[in-house]
Amino acid sequence: MSYVDLNLLTALDVLLAECSVTKAAQRLGVSPSAMSRTLSRLRTATGDQLLVLAGRTMVPTPYAEQLGKRAHELARNARAVLQPANSAVDLATLERTFTIRANDGFVDLVGASLMAAIAQTARRVRIRFVSKPDKDARALREGMIDLEVGVLGTAAPEIKTRLLFRDRFVGICRTGHPLLTRVTAKRYASCSHVVVSRKPQFTGPVDDALALLGQSRIISMVVPTFANAMQIVRHSDLVGLVPRSSLGSASPGNRAESAGIEYFELPVRTPAINVSAIWHPRLHADPAHRWLRDTIFAICKNAAP
């Protein structure tokens, strides 16, 4: 494909509009001699004289008259394509489905508030939450998901992140569980535990902290979601471990939003859980995606534990 100088298109548009080399030069901020050379290049490129003298003025050839409207539209479209992206978005008319990969606890935490925000400002937007089988960045890279929420688990160098809130692990058990009378590291470790893990792994930071005290948990069951753990704890003597955010507005020693469950602070220290929004750079400047990120950030600021 031969090289096409788009500057010639702009010059052609102005020359045909002004029918004057001098006036076209003034509009484009160049000298009349430079504009004259550009006209010569246009004549060579098109194989037509385009503008010819008629007395002291210049008039378009029949071919130039045919080109006039097309050249103007093409020049305008080329300028629009090569300008910075529009930073504004009309939320009232925005029609888009965003796919967000997050765990069930986050969906419970922000789902209703996010829906309320959408209903108020962007009624045609839809949210599709999908589960997190892993933390592979491929889904973000290939556009299978628009946003991920959780603990950053990829080393992909291009990925963008924004901290939404800091969470922590807490223990859960059924209402009336004997452990609630006095929670110590020894009594906690002696209970039978249910843990949540997507990997073939039973232990985590809690076990490392207990080991420093010479204690170890009895892990009897591993389940894939926090909702599973809550359901099992509610109907058994097993003790669970969940992020504080997954329990809504419950307070220590009081029943969580899921009736029949109480939570307690762990008898050992564990690292904070940094919950972040994670996305691919190709969507970083997209105004609709930026609105979604800002909306979720505002919701998390008010809803986080």
Side-chain angles (χ1 to χ4, degrees), residues 147-214:
L147 188 70
E148 179 167 354
V149 176
V151 177
L152 182 64
T154 175
E158 78 275 22
I159 296 302
K160 299 283 187 180
T161 66
R162 182 180 185 181
L163 180 65
L164 296 176
F165 59 91
R166 286 186 171 87
D167 207 346
R168 69 186 190 281
F169 280 116
V170 295
I172 58 172
C173 60
R174 63 171 176 79
T175 300
H177 195 289
L179 177 63
L180 293 173
T181 59
R182 187 166 60 94
V183 180
T184 65
K186 184 176 182 180
R187 281 169 56 82
Y188 172 75
S190 67
C191 295
S192 295
H193 293 254
V194 53
V195 299
V196 178
S197 179
R198 294 187 300 269
K199 302 176 182 178
Q201 180 178 334
F202 284 30
T203 60
V206 172
D207 301 282
D208 296 336
L210 285 170
L212 294 176
L213 300 176

Side-chain angles (χ1 to χ4, degrees), residues 52-95:
V52 295
L53 284 172
R56 292 186 176 183
T57 62
M58 301 190 81
V59 295
T61 65
Y63 181 64
E65 289 179 341
Q66 295 176 21
L67 286 180
K69 186 175 181 181
R70 289 173 56 202
H72 178 68
E73 291 179 353
L74 286 170
R76 182 182 60 190
N77 290 337
R79 287 192 294 270
V81 167
L82 297 177
Q83 285 179 349
N86 188 354
S87 60
V89 59
D90 185 357
L91 296 175
T93 60
L94 178 64
E95 294 189 27

Side-chain angles (χ1 to χ4, degrees), residues 40 48 105 126 128 176 183 188 193 200 227 242 248 273 286:
S40 296
D48 188 87
R126 296 189 301 181
R128 177 174 175 258
V183 180
Y188 172 75
H193 293 254
V242 298
I273 307 169
D286 178 68

